[in-house]
Amino acid sequence: EWRCKWSLEGDKASLVAAQKALESIVADVKKVPGVKRVDRIVCGGCLDFKIVTLLAPEDFEKWQASNFEPEAEFLEKLKAIDGISMIETQNYTIMSI
């Protein structure tokens, strides 16, 4: 998961810019071997912007070995956006029940 907080300032300009940053790299994420889906989550109450990438467990270590490319590029784009804060990453598992 890649996540950050966005600001309401400037008519949500930071959210719009974060979406554009995502659009610039999402095709590369979808090309990662084993990717099943890429989800964008936005919360208007707590101002979360999250990207969750679901991939096959056997492909996780390969992506990890590549430093989760294009993670660094995306995080740098987020850092350059006024109004974006608390940029973080987290790895976890998801299981349907």
Side-chain angles (χ1 to χ4, degrees), residues 27-81:
D28 292 333
V29 176
K30 289 181 177 182
K31 289 179 189 174
V32 171
V35 166
K36 295 180 179 182
R37 95 178 180 237
V38 179
D39 295 331
R40 188 213 65 185
I41 302 163
V42 173
C43 178
C46 61
L47 307 181
D48 282 341
F49 181 85
K50 299 180 179 186
I51 308 307
V52 178
T53 304
L54 180 65
L55 68 153
E58 60 272 12
D59 293 310
F60 177 80
E61 287 184 7
K62 293 175 198 164
W63 195 31
Q64 186 176 34
S66 75
N67 294 315
F68 303 109
E69 278 303 317
E71 178 180 88
E73 176 187 351
F74 180 63
L75 298 180
E76 285 302 314
K77 288 180 180 200
L78 289 179
K79 288 176 187 175
I81 299 170

Side-chain angles (χ1 to χ4, degrees), residues 4-45:
C4 64
K5 297 287 188 180
W6 54 277
S7 169
L8 293 171
E9 294 176 16
D11 197 26
K12 304 177 188 175
S14 60
L15 174 60
V16 171
Q19 178 65 33
K20 287 180 182 175
L22 171 61
E23 290 169 0
S24 76
I25 58 95
V26 73
D28 292 333
V29 176
K30 289 181 177 182
K31 289 179 189 174
V32 171
V35 166
K36 295 180 179 182
R37 95 178 180 237
V38 179
D39 295 331
R40 188 213 65 185
I41 302 163
V42 173
C43 178

